[in-house]
Amino acid sequence: MRIVVLGATPQGSGVALVRDALASPVARVTRLCPRCGSSRHGPVIATGVTPRHWVSVSHSPQATVVVLDTAGPVGVDIEPLDRADAAVLGQWTATEAALKATGRGLADDPDSVRLLEGDWAGDCLLEVPGPATPYRVRVTRVDVAGHAARVAQLIPALAAGRHTPRSG
């Protein structure tokens, strides 16, 4: 997994940031909303690169985090610590990153995310309701000065009958 932390960047610059991070002349990077099909919002998608890269981008007024992974779907969230206390933001960033990793983002209810292992302040294992079986998501804290930031990765099934959802 590659995590790129940048200073302030304009909201909506995720496509250009991912294109730069991939540094591939054949990469095609776009946005695609899974609900309405718009290319003006929704997850950033990279195609035309081998191996396949899953990507996620999050902005705050002072920093941007770009995550690229070839192992499977990822999500990221970053929030400035001046908005709320660190414990609340730890839980929120873990939850939002996990929901992004499922590909549905905040279309799913954040209250449906369950803590299975660890704690909200650090690394943890979460369960997110899925269409057939729950997703298991590993969340890792990312150090960004003055921010709460988390990266989430969908992980292989931990029990028989579970599956890792396929993205895209």
Side-chain angles (χ1 to χ4, degrees), residues 74-116:
V74 294
V76 63
D77 189 40
I78 184 171
E79 301 289 340
L81 285 174
D82 60 359
R83 289 191 40 207
D85 81 34
V88 170
L89 284 176
Q91 181 173 352
W92 175 256
T93 55
T95 298
E96 186 170 346
L99 291 171
K100 284 179 164 184
T102 69
R104 297 191 34 83
L106 292 175
D108 287 337
D109 179 7
D111 290 334
S112 67
V113 175
R114 228 169 36 105
L115 179 67
L116 299 177

PDB file of all heavy atoms in Angstrom, residues 74-116:
ATOM      1  N   VAL A  74      -9.672   0.068  -0.832  1.00  0.00           N
ATOM      2  CA  VAL A  74      -9.211   0.882   0.288  1.00  0.00           C
ATOM      3  C   VAL A  74     -10.115   2.095   0.463  1.00  0.00           C
ATOM      4  O   VAL A  74     -10.836   2.483  -0.449  1.00  0.00           O
ATOM      5  CB  VAL A  74      -7.753   1.361   0.089  1.00  0.00           C
ATOM      6  CG1 VAL A  74      -6.791   0.199   0.118  1.00  0.00           C
ATOM      7  CG2 VAL A  74      -7.598   2.152  -1.192  1.00  0.00           C
ATOM      8  N   GLY A  75     -10.033   2.689   1.632  1.00  0.00           N
ATOM      9  CA  GLY A  75     -10.723   3.944   1.911  1.00  0.00           C
ATOM     10  C   GLY A  75      -9.851   4.777   2.818  1.00  0.00           C
ATOM     11  O   GLY A  75      -9.018   4.244   3.556  1.00  0.00           O
ATOM     12  N   VAL A  76     -10.021   6.091   2.782  1.00  0.00           N
ATOM     13  CA  VAL A  76      -9.258   6.979   3.648  1.00  0.00           C
ATOM     14  C   VAL A  76     -10.156   8.129   4.083  1.00  0.00           C
ATOM     15  O   VAL A  76     -11.058   8.545   3.337  1.00  0.00           O
ATOM     16  CB  VAL A  76      -7.977   7.511   2.950  1.00  0.00           C
ATOM     17  CG1 VAL A  76      -8.309   8.363   1.742  1.00  0.00           C
ATOM     18  CG2 VAL A  76      -7.086   8.271   3.923  1.00  0.00           C
ATOM     19  N   ASP A  77      -9.923   8.612   5.288  1.00  0.00           N
ATOM     20  CA  ASP A  77     -10.582   9.839   5.744  1.00  0.00           C
ATOM     21  C   ASP A  77      -9.601  10.618   6.596  1.00  0.00           C
ATOM     22  O   ASP A  77      -8.795  10.038   7.329  1.00  0.00           O
ATOM     23  CB  ASP A  77     -11.850   9.548   6.541  1.00  0.00           C
ATOM     24  CG  ASP A  77     -12.633  10.831   6.825  1.00  0.00           C
ATOM     25  OD1 ASP A  77     -12.724  11.692   5.923  1.00  0.00           O
ATOM     26  OD2 ASP A  77     -13.147  10.994   7.940  1.00  0.00           O
ATOM     27  N   ILE A  78      -9.666  11.939   6.470  1.00  0.00           N
ATOM     28  CA  ILE A  78      -8.839  12.846   7.276  1.00  0.00           C
ATOM     29  C   ILE A  78      -9.710  14.002   7.732  1.00  0.00           C
ATOM     30  O   ILE A  78     -10.531  14.515   6.964  1.00  0.00           O
ATOM     31  CB  ILE A  78      -7.608  13.347   6.483  1.00  0.00           C
ATOM     32  CG1 ILE A  78      -6.705  14.216   7.378  1.00  0.00           C
ATOM     33  CG2 ILE A  78      -8.015  14.079   5.224  1.00  0.00           C
ATOM     34  CD1 ILE A  78      -5.369  14.556   6.745  1.00  0.00           C
ATOM     35  N   GLU A  79      -9.570  14.364   8.990  1.00  0.00           N
ATOM     36  CA  GLU A  79     -10.334  15.479   9.569  1.00  0.00           C
ATOM     37  C   GLU A  79      -9.407  16.288  10.472  1.00  0.00           C
ATOM     38  O   GLU A  79      -8.601  15.709  11.204  1.00  0.00           O
ATOM     39  CB  GLU A  79     -11.511  14.969  10.416  1.00  0.00           C
ATOM     40  CG  GLU A  79     -12.505  14.099   9.669  1.00  0.00           C
ATOM     41  CD  GLU A  79     -13.358  14.855   8.675  1.00  0.00           C
ATOM     42  OE1 GLU A  79     -13.470  16.091   8.805  1.00  0.00           O
ATOM     43  OE2 GLU A  79     -13.923  14.207   7.765  1.00  0.00           O
ATOM     44  N   PRO A  80      -9.511  17.624  10.443  1.00  0.00           N
ATOM     45  CA  PRO A  80      -8.685  18.434  11.348  1.00  0.00           C
ATOM     46  C   PRO A  80      -9.126  18.244  12.796  1.00  0.00           C
ATOM     47  O   PRO A  80     -10.321  18.136  13.077  1.00  0.00           O
ATOM     48  CB  PRO A  80      -8.920  19.870  10.872  1.00  0.00           C
ATOM     49  CG  PRO A  80     -10.118  19.837  10.004  1.00  0.00           C
ATOM     50  CD  PRO A  80     -10.336  18.427   9.557  1.00  0.00           C
ATOM     51  N   LEU A  81      -8.160  18.189  13.699  1.00  0.00           N
ATOM     52  CA  LEU A  81      -8.473  17.969  15.113  1.00  0.00           C
ATOM     53  C   LEU A  81      -9.195  19.146  15.756  1.00  0.00           C
ATOM     54  O   LEU A  81      -9.793  18.988  16.806  1.00  0.00           O
ATOM     55  CB  LEU A  81      -7.197  17.655  15.898  1.00  0.00           C
ATOM     56  CG  LEU A  81      -6.655  16.252  15.668  1.00  0.00           C
ATOM     57  CD1 LEU A  81      -5.314  16.085  16.371  1.00  0.00           C
ATOM     58  CD2 LEU A  81      -7.644  15.203  16.149  1.00  0.00           C
ATOM     59  N   ASP A  82      -9.186  20.309  15.127  1.00  0.00           N
ATOM     60  CA  ASP A  82      -9.858  21.452  15.734  1.00  0.00           C
ATOM     61  C   ASP A  82     -11.382  21.375  15.629  1.00  0.00           C
ATOM     62  O   ASP A  82     -12.086  22.167  16.217  1.00  0.00           O
ATOM     63  CB  ASP A  82      -9.352  22.776  15.132  1.00  0.00           C
ATOM     64  CG  ASP A  82      -9.583  22.873  13.631  1.00  0.00           C
ATOM     65  OD1 ASP A  82     -10.123  21.930  13.020  1.00  0.00           O
ATOM     66  OD2 ASP A  82      -9.199  23.905  13.061  1.00  0.00           O
ATOM     67  N   ARG A  83     -11.903  20.411  14.893  1.00  0.00           N
ATOM     68  CA  ARG A  83     -13.353  20.290  14.712  1.00  0.00           C
ATOM     69  C   ARG A  83     -14.043  19.616  15.885  1.00  0.00           C
ATOM     70  O   ARG A  83     -15.213  19.865  16.143  1.00  0.00           O
ATOM     71  CB  ARG A  83     -13.659  19.511  13.443  1.00  0.00           C
ATOM     72  CG  ARG A  83     -13.334  20.287  12.200  1.00  0.00           C
ATOM     73  CD  ARG A  83     -13.863  19.633  10.973  1.00  0.00           C
ATOM     74  NE  ARG A  83     -15.177  19.090  11.181  1.00  0.00           N
ATOM     75  CZ  ARG A  83     -15.667  18.063  10.506  1.00  0.00           C
ATOM     76  NH1 ARG A  83     -14.952  17.479   9.598  1.00  0.00           N
ATOM     77  NH2 ARG A  83     -16.873  17.618  10.754  1.00  0.00           N
ATOM     78  N   ALA A  84     -13.391  18.694  16.541  1.00  0.00           N
ATOM     79  CA  ALA A  84     -14.000  17.952  17.648  1.00  0.00           C
ATOM     80  C   ALA A  84     -12.874  17.287  18.422  1.00  0.00           C
ATOM     81  O   ALA A  84     -11.711  17.390  18.050  1.00  0.00           O
ATOM     82  CB  ALA A  84     -14.974  16.908  17.115  1.00  0.00           C
ATOM     83  N   ASP A  85     -13.231  16.580  19.491  1.00  0.00           N
ATOM     84  CA  ASP A  85     -12.156  15.953  20.251  1.00  0.00           C
ATOM     85  C   ASP A  85     -11.605  14.736  19.511  1.00  0.00           C
ATOM     86  O   ASP A  85     -12.256  14.154  18.639  1.00  0.00           O
ATOM     87  CB  ASP A  85     -12.590  15.670  21.685  1.00  0.00           C
ATOM     88  CG  ASP A  85     -13.417  14.426  21.892  1.00  0.00           C
ATOM     89  OD1 ASP A  85     -13.206  13.435  21.182  1.00  0.00           O
ATOM     90  OD2 ASP A  85     -14.270  14.440  22.800  1.00  0.00           O
ATOM     91  N   ALA A  86     -10.399  14.377  19.859  1.00  0.00           N
ATOM     92  CA  ALA A  86      -9.661  13.332  19.142  1.00  0.00           C
ATOM     93  C   ALA A  86     -10.374  11.986  19.186  1.00  0.00           C
ATOM     94  O   ALA A  86     -10.361  11.240  18.205  1.00  0.00           O
ATOM     95  CB  ALA A  86      -8.246  13.216  19.712  1.00  0.00           C
ATOM     96  N   ALA A  87     -11.019  11.649  20.299  1.00  0.00           N
ATOM     97  CA  ALA A  87     -11.700  10.358  20.405  1.00  0.00           C
ATOM     98  C   ALA A  87     -12.872  10.274  19.425  1.00  0.00           C
ATOM     99  O   ALA A  87     -13.055   9.268  18.736  1.00  0.00           O
ATOM    100  CB  ALA A  87     -12.186  10.129  21.834  1.00  0.00           C
ATOM    101  N   VAL A  88     -13.646  11.333  19.357  1.00  0.00           N
ATOM    102  CA  VAL A  88     -14.784  11.368  18.427  1.00  0.00           C
ATOM    103  C   VAL A  88     -14.275  11.285  16.990  1.00  0.00           C
ATOM    104  O   VAL A  88     -14.807  10.533  16.170  1.00  0.00           O
ATOM    105  CB  VAL A  88     -15.626  12.638  18.645  1.00  0.00           C
ATOM    106  CG1 VAL A  88     -16.660  12.822  17.545  1.00  0.00           C
ATOM    107  CG2 VAL A  88     -16.289  12.603  20.011  1.00  0.00           C
ATOM    108  N   LEU A  89     -13.239  12.053  16.666  1.00  0.00           N
ATOM    109  CA  LEU A  89     -12.710  12.045  15.309  1.00  0.00           C
ATOM    110  C   LEU A  89     -12.029  10.719  14.960  1.00  0.00           C
ATOM    111  O   LEU A  89     -12.053  10.297  13.804  1.00  0.00           O
ATOM    112  CB  LEU A  89     -11.763  13.209  15.084  1.00  0.00           C
ATOM    113  CG  LEU A  89     -12.470  14.552  14.913  1.00  0.00           C
ATOM    114  CD1 LEU A  89     -11.456  15.683  14.796  1.00  0.00           C
ATOM    115  CD2 LEU A  89     -13.388  14.544  13.714  1.00  0.00           C
ATOM    116  N   GLY A  90     -11.434  10.054  15.942  1.00  0.00           N
ATOM    117  CA  GLY A  90     -10.862   8.736  15.683  1.00  0.00           C
ATOM    118  C   GLY A  90     -11.932   7.763  15.238  1.00  0.00           C
ATOM    119  O   GLY A  90     -11.762   7.027  14.253  1.00  0.00           O
ATOM    120  N   GLN A  91     -13.053   7.753  15.931  1.00  0.00           N
ATOM    121  CA  GLN A  91     -14.153   6.867  15.555  1.00  0.00           C
ATOM    122  C   GLN A  91     -14.735   7.275  14.206  1.00  0.00           C
ATOM    123  O   GLN A  91     -14.997   6.425  13.350  1.00  0.00           O
ATOM    124  CB  GLN A  91     -15.240   6.873  16.621  1.00  0.00           C
ATOM    125  CG  GLN A  91     -16.379   5.939  16.278  1.00  0.00           C
ATOM    126  CD  GLN A  91     -17.381   5.791  17.399  1.00  0.00           C
ATOM    127  OE1 GLN A  91     -17.182   6.271  18.514  1.00  0.00           O
ATOM    128  NE2 GLN A  91     -18.484   5.112  17.120  1.00  0.00           N
ATOM    129  N   TRP A  92     -14.925   8.575  13.994  1.00  0.00           N
ATOM    130  CA  TRP A  92     -15.511   9.031  12.736  1.00  0.00           C
ATOM    131  C   TRP A  92     -14.605   8.695  11.541  1.00  0.00           C
ATOM    132  O   TRP A  92     -15.084   8.176  10.530  1.00  0.00           O
ATOM    133  CB  TRP A  92     -15.792  10.529  12.754  1.00  0.00           C
ATOM    134  CG  TRP A  92     -16.287  10.965  11.406  1.00  0.00           C
ATOM    135  CD1 TRP A  92     -15.601  11.646  10.448  1.00  0.00           C
ATOM    136  CD2 TRP A  92     -17.555  10.641  10.831  1.00  0.00           C
ATOM    137  NE1 TRP A  92     -16.366  11.783   9.309  1.00  0.00           N
ATOM    138  CE2 TRP A  92     -17.573  11.171   9.529  1.00  0.00           C
ATOM    139  CE3 TRP A  92     -18.672   9.951  11.289  1.00  0.00           C
ATOM    140  CZ2 TRP A  92     -18.668  11.038   8.682  1.00  0.00           C
ATOM    141  CZ3 TRP A  92     -19.765   9.824  10.444  1.00  0.00           C
ATOM    142  CH2 TRP A  92     -19.753  10.369   9.163  1.00  0.00           C
ATOM    143  N   THR A  93     -13.301   8.985  11.635  1.00  0.00           N
ATOM    144  CA  THR A  93     -12.425   8.738  10.492  1.00  0.00           C
ATOM    145  C   THR A  93     -12.298   7.238  10.209  1.00  0.00           C
ATOM    146  O   THR A  93     -12.243   6.832   9.046  1.00  0.00           O
ATOM    147  CB  THR A  93     -11.026   9.375  10.674  1.00  0.00           C
ATOM    148  OG1 THR A  93     -10.444   8.921  11.895  1.00  0.00           O
ATOM    149  CG2 THR A  93     -11.109  10.892  10.652  1.00  0.00           C
ATOM    150  N   ALA A  94     -12.280   6.404  11.257  1.00  0.00           N
ATOM    151  CA  ALA A  94     -12.244   4.951  11.049  1.00  0.00           C
ATOM    152  C   ALA A  94     -13.512   4.488  10.344  1.00  0.00           C
ATOM    153  O   ALA A  94     -13.462   3.693   9.391  1.00  0.00           O
ATOM    154  CB  ALA A  94     -12.081   4.230  12.385  1.00  0.00           C
ATOM    155  N   THR A  95     -14.640   5.002  10.786  1.00  0.00           N
ATOM    156  CA  THR A  95     -15.934   4.619  10.207  1.00  0.00           C
ATOM    157  C   THR A  95     -16.035   5.060   8.756  1.00  0.00           C
ATOM    158  O   THR A  95     -16.395   4.272   7.870  1.00  0.00           O
ATOM    159  CB  THR A  95     -17.080   5.222  11.040  1.00  0.00           C
ATOM    160  OG1 THR A  95     -17.007   4.685  12.361  1.00  0.00           O
ATOM    161  CG2 THR A  95     -18.429   4.914  10.435  1.00  0.00           C
ATOM    162  N   GLU A  96     -15.713   6.325   8.476  1.00  0.00           N
ATOM    163  CA  GLU A  96     -15.841   6.810   7.103  1.00  0.00           C
ATOM    164  C   GLU A  96     -14.861   6.104   6.168  1.00  0.00           C
ATOM    165  O   GLU A  96     -15.217   5.731   5.041  1.00  0.00           O
ATOM    166  CB  GLU A  96     -15.662   8.317   7.006  1.00  0.00           C
ATOM    167  CG  GLU A  96     -15.937   8.811   5.600  1.00  0.00           C
ATOM    168  CD  GLU A  96     -16.014  10.313   5.454  1.00  0.00           C
ATOM    169  OE1 GLU A  96     -16.116  11.040   6.448  1.00  0.00           O
ATOM    170  OE2 GLU A  96     -15.948  10.760   4.290  1.00  0.00           O
ATOM    171  N   ALA A  97     -13.633   5.876   6.613  1.00  0.00           N
ATOM    172  CA  ALA A  97     -12.666   5.159   5.780  1.00  0.00           C
ATOM    173  C   ALA A  97     -13.171   3.745   5.478  1.00  0.00           C
ATOM    174  O   ALA A  97     -13.064   3.270   4.345  1.00  0.00           O
ATOM    175  CB  ALA A  97     -11.297   5.116   6.459  1.00  0.00           C
ATOM    176  N   ALA A  98     -13.738   3.070   6.484  1.00  0.00           N
ATOM    177  CA  ALA A  98     -14.266   1.718   6.279  1.00  0.00           C
ATOM    178  C   ALA A  98     -15.421   1.724   5.281  1.00  0.00           C
ATOM    179  O   ALA A  98     -15.490   0.867   4.388  1.00  0.00           O
ATOM    180  CB  ALA A  98     -14.716   1.118   7.608  1.00  0.00           C
ATOM    181  N   LEU A  99     -16.322   2.684   5.406  1.00  0.00           N
ATOM    182  CA  LEU A  99     -17.448   2.767   4.472  1.00  0.00           C
ATOM    183  C   LEU A  99     -16.967   3.065   3.054  1.00  0.00           C
ATOM    184  O   LEU A  99     -17.499   2.540   2.078  1.00  0.00           O
ATOM    185  CB  LEU A  99     -18.453   3.818   4.941  1.00  0.00           C
ATOM    186  CG  LEU A  99     -19.220   3.453   6.219  1.00  0.00           C
ATOM    187  CD1 LEU A  99     -20.030   4.650   6.717  1.00  0.00           C
ATOM    188  CD2 LEU A  99     -20.114   2.242   5.998  1.00  0.00           C
ATOM    189  N   LYS A 100     -15.937   3.898   2.915  1.00  0.00           N
ATOM    190  CA  LYS A 100     -15.364   4.163   1.589  1.00  0.00           C
ATOM    191  C   LYS A 100     -14.746   2.896   0.998  1.00  0.00           C
ATOM    192  O   LYS A 100     -14.855   2.644  -0.201  1.00  0.00           O
ATOM    193  CB  LYS A 100     -14.296   5.259   1.667  1.00  0.00           C
ATOM    194  CG  LYS A 100     -14.836   6.658   1.803  1.00  0.00           C
ATOM    195  CD  LYS A 100     -13.659   7.617   1.883  1.00  0.00           C
ATOM    196  CE  LYS A 100     -14.002   9.040   1.647  1.00  0.00           C
ATOM    197  NZ  LYS A 100     -12.798   9.894   1.652  1.00  0.00           N
ATOM    198  N   ALA A 101     -14.103   2.086   1.830  1.00  0.00           N
ATOM    199  CA  ALA A 101     -13.468   0.860   1.333  1.00  0.00           C
ATOM    200  C   ALA A 101     -14.492  -0.119   0.764  1.00  0.00           C
ATOM    201  O   ALA A 101     -14.177  -0.896  -0.130  1.00  0.00           O
ATOM    202  CB  ALA A 101     -12.644   0.190   2.435  1.00  0.00           C
ATOM    203  N   THR A 102     -15.724  -0.077   1.257  1.00  0.00           N
ATOM    204  CA  THR A 102     -16.765  -0.968   0.723  1.00  0.00           C
ATOM    205  C   THR A 102     -17.269  -0.484  -0.633  1.00  0.00           C
ATOM    206  O   THR A 102     -17.982  -1.205  -1.322  1.00  0.00           O
ATOM    207  CB  THR A 102     -17.977  -1.081   1.670  1.00  0.00           C
ATOM    208  OG1 THR A 102     -18.680   0.163   1.690  1.00  0.00           O
ATOM    209  CG2 THR A 102     -17.565  -1.522   3.055  1.00  0.00           C
ATOM    210  N   GLY A 103     -16.919   0.743  -1.000  1.00  0.00           N
ATOM    211  CA  GLY A 103     -17.376   1.301  -2.265  1.00  0.00           C
ATOM    212  C   GLY A 103     -18.687   2.040  -2.172  1.00  0.00           C
ATOM    213  O   GLY A 103     -19.166   2.610  -3.143  1.00  0.00           O
ATOM    214  N   ARG A 104     -19.295   2.073  -0.992  1.00  0.00           N
ATOM    215  CA  ARG A 104     -20.597   2.728  -0.836  1.00  0.00           C
ATOM    216  C   ARG A 104     -20.517   4.043  -0.068  1.00  0.00           C
ATOM    217  O   ARG A 104     -21.406   4.863  -0.159  1.00  0.00           O
ATOM    218  CB  ARG A 104     -21.573   1.776  -0.170  1.00  0.00           C
ATOM    219  CG  ARG A 104     -21.825   0.542  -1.037  1.00  0.00           C
ATOM    220  CD  ARG A 104     -22.957  -0.295  -0.558  1.00  0.00           C
ATOM    221  NE  ARG A 104     -24.060   0.404   0.038  1.00  0.00           N
ATOM    222  CZ  ARG A 104     -25.064   0.991  -0.633  1.00  0.00           C
ATOM    223  NH1 ARG A 104     -25.078   0.979  -1.933  1.00  0.00           N
ATOM    224  NH2 ARG A 104     -26.050   1.584   0.025  1.00  0.00           N
ATOM    225  N   GLY A 105     -19.463   4.234   0.688  1.00  0.00           N
ATOM    226  CA  GLY A 105     -19.295   5.486   1.413  1.00  0.00           C
ATOM    227  C   GLY A 105     -20.456   5.773   2.339  1.00  0.00           C
ATOM    228  O   GLY A 105     -21.049   4.872   2.918  1.00  0.00           O
ATOM    229  N   LEU A 106     -20.793   7.038   2.455  1.00  0.00           N
ATOM    230  CA  LEU A 106     -21.826   7.452   3.405  1.00  0.00           C
ATOM    231  C   LEU A 106     -23.243   7.159   2.931  1.00  0.00           C
ATOM    232  O   LEU A 106     -24.212   7.573   3.568  1.00  0.00           O
ATOM    233  CB  LEU A 106     -21.650   8.932   3.745  1.00  0.00           C
ATOM    234  CG  LEU A 106     -20.374   9.214   4.545  1.00  0.00           C
ATOM    235  CD1 LEU A 106     -20.184  10.714   4.744  1.00  0.00           C
ATOM    236  CD2 LEU A 106     -20.400   8.501   5.881  1.00  0.00           C
ATOM    237  N   ALA A 107     -23.390   6.405   1.847  1.00  0.00           N
ATOM    238  CA  ALA A 107     -24.719   5.907   1.470  1.00  0.00           C
ATOM    239  C   ALA A 107     -25.182   4.892   2.519  1.00  0.00           C
ATOM    240  O   ALA A 107     -26.373   4.656   2.667  1.00  0.00           O
ATOM    241  CB  ALA A 107     -24.691   5.265   0.089  1.00  0.00           C
ATOM    242  N   ASP A 108     -24.226   4.270   3.228  1.00  0.00           N
ATOM    243  CA  ASP A 108     -24.555   3.361   4.323  1.00  0.00           C
ATOM    244  C   ASP A 108     -24.542   4.131   5.637  1.00  0.00           C
ATOM    245  O   ASP A 108     -23.825   5.118   5.791  1.00  0.00           O
ATOM    246  CB  ASP A 108     -23.553   2.206   4.383  1.00  0.00           C
ATOM    247  CG  ASP A 108     -23.745   1.211   3.253  1.00  0.00           C
ATOM    248  OD1 ASP A 108     -24.862   1.149   2.699  1.00  0.00           O
ATOM    249  OD2 ASP A 108     -22.785   0.513   2.912  1.00  0.00           O
ATOM    250  N   ASP A 109     -25.325   3.654   6.577  1.00  0.00           N
ATOM    251  CA  ASP A 109     -25.459   4.302   7.877  1.00  0.00           C
ATOM    252  C   ASP A 109     -24.181   4.116   8.699  1.00  0.00           C
ATOM    253  O   ASP A 109     -23.805   2.979   8.998  1.00  0.00           O
ATOM    254  CB  ASP A 109     -26.648   3.686   8.615  1.00  0.00           C
ATOM    255  CG  ASP A 109     -26.880   4.268   9.986  1.00  0.00           C
ATOM    256  OD1 ASP A 109     -26.204   5.258  10.365  1.00  0.00           O
ATOM    257  OD2 ASP A 109     -27.766   3.744  10.690  1.00  0.00           O
ATOM    258  N   PRO A 110     -23.514   5.206   9.077  1.00  0.00           N
ATOM    259  CA  PRO A 110     -22.296   5.079   9.897  1.00  0.00           C
ATOM    260  C   PRO A 110     -22.542   4.335  11.214  1.00  0.00           C
ATOM    261  O   PRO A 110     -21.636   3.670  11.723  1.00  0.00           O
ATOM    262  CB  PRO A 110     -21.880   6.523  10.158  1.00  0.00           C
ATOM    263  CG  PRO A 110     -22.472   7.297   9.031  1.00  0.00           C
ATOM    264  CD  PRO A 110     -23.762   6.598   8.699  1.00  0.00           C
ATOM    265  N   ASP A 111     -23.755   4.413  11.753  1.00  0.00           N
ATOM    266  CA  ASP A 111     -24.051   3.711  13.009  1.00  0.00           C
ATOM    267  C   ASP A 111     -24.096   2.190  12.831  1.00  0.00           C
ATOM    268  O   ASP A 111     -24.137   1.460  13.814  1.00  0.00           O
ATOM    269  CB  ASP A 111     -25.369   4.197  13.601  1.00  0.00           C
ATOM    270  CG  ASP A 111     -25.269   5.616  14.138  1.00  0.00           C
ATOM    271  OD1 ASP A 111     -24.156   6.045  14.518  1.00  0.00           O
ATOM    272  OD2 ASP A 111     -26.304   6.303  14.169  1.00  0.00           O
ATOM    273  N   SER A 112     -24.086   1.702  11.591  1.00  0.00           N
ATOM    274  CA  SER A 112     -24.129   0.261  11.345  1.00  0.00           C
ATOM    275  C   SER A 112     -22.743  -0.386  11.462  1.00  0.00           C
ATOM    276  O   SER A 112     -22.634  -1.601  11.499  1.00  0.00           O
ATOM    277  CB  SER A 112     -24.716  -0.027   9.962  1.00  0.00           C
ATOM    278  OG  SER A 112     -23.828   0.433   8.946  1.00  0.00           O
ATOM    279  N   VAL A 113     -21.683   0.428  11.529  1.00  0.00           N
ATOM    280  CA  VAL A 113     -20.311  -0.088  11.614  1.00  0.00           C
ATOM    281  C   VAL A 113     -20.042  -0.539  13.047  1.00  0.00           C
ATOM    282  O   VAL A 113     -20.327   0.179  14.000  1.00  0.00           O
ATOM    283  CB  VAL A 113     -19.298   0.989  11.170  1.00  0.00           C
ATOM    284  CG1 VAL A 113     -17.864   0.511  11.371  1.00  0.00           C
ATOM    285  CG2 VAL A 113     -19.554   1.373   9.722  1.00  0.00           C
ATOM    286  N   ARG A 114     -19.503  -1.760  13.182  1.00  0.00           N
ATOM    287  CA  ARG A 114     -19.266  -2.344  14.496  1.00  0.00           C
ATOM    288  C   ARG A 114     -17.780  -2.555  14.735  1.00  0.00           C
ATOM    289  O   ARG A 114     -17.069  -3.061  13.859  1.00  0.00           O
ATOM    290  CB  ARG A 114     -19.949  -3.706  14.547  1.00  0.00           C
ATOM    291  CG  ARG A 114     -20.773  -3.947  15.743  1.00  0.00           C
ATOM    292  CD  ARG A 114     -21.642  -5.198  15.646  1.00  0.00           C
ATOM    293  NE  ARG A 114     -21.068  -6.324  14.943  1.00  0.00           N
ATOM    294  CZ  ARG A 114     -20.600  -7.413  15.536  1.00  0.00           C
ATOM    295  NH1 ARG A 114     -20.597  -7.532  16.836  1.00  0.00           N
ATOM    296  NH2 ARG A 114     -20.116  -8.408  14.813  1.00  0.00           N
ATOM    297  N   LEU A 115     -17.296  -2.178  15.917  1.00  0.00           N
ATOM    298  CA  LEU A 115     -15.907  -2.403  16.331  1.00  0.00           C
ATOM    299  C   LEU A 115     -15.776  -3.848  16.801  1.00  0.00           C
ATOM    300  O   LEU A 115     -16.485  -4.272  17.717  1.00  0.00           O
ATOM    301  CB  LEU A 115     -15.545  -1.440  17.463  1.00  0.00           C
ATOM    302  CG  LEU A 115     -14.146  -1.546  18.051  1.00  0.00           C
ATOM    303  CD1 LEU A 115     -13.103  -1.121  17.022  1.00  0.00           C
ATOM    304  CD2 LEU A 115     -14.035  -0.672  19.299  1.00  0.00           C
ATOM    305  N   LEU A 116     -14.874  -4.617  16.169  1.00  0.00           N
ATOM    306  CA  LEU A 116     -14.661  -6.016  16.546  1.00  0.00           C
ATOM    307  C   LEU A 116     -13.415  -6.203  17.395  1.00  0.00           C
ATOM    308  O   LEU A 116     -13.409  -7.021  18.320  1.00  0.00           O
ATOM    309  CB  LEU A 116     -14.546  -6.893  15.295  1.00  0.00           C
ATOM    310  CG  LEU A 116     -15.764  -6.935  14.375  1.00  0.00           C
ATOM    311  CD1 LEU A 116     -15.458  -7.792  13.151  1.00  0.00           C
ATOM    312  CD2 LEU A 116     -16.981  -7.455  15.114  1.00  0.00           C
TER     313      LEU A 116
END
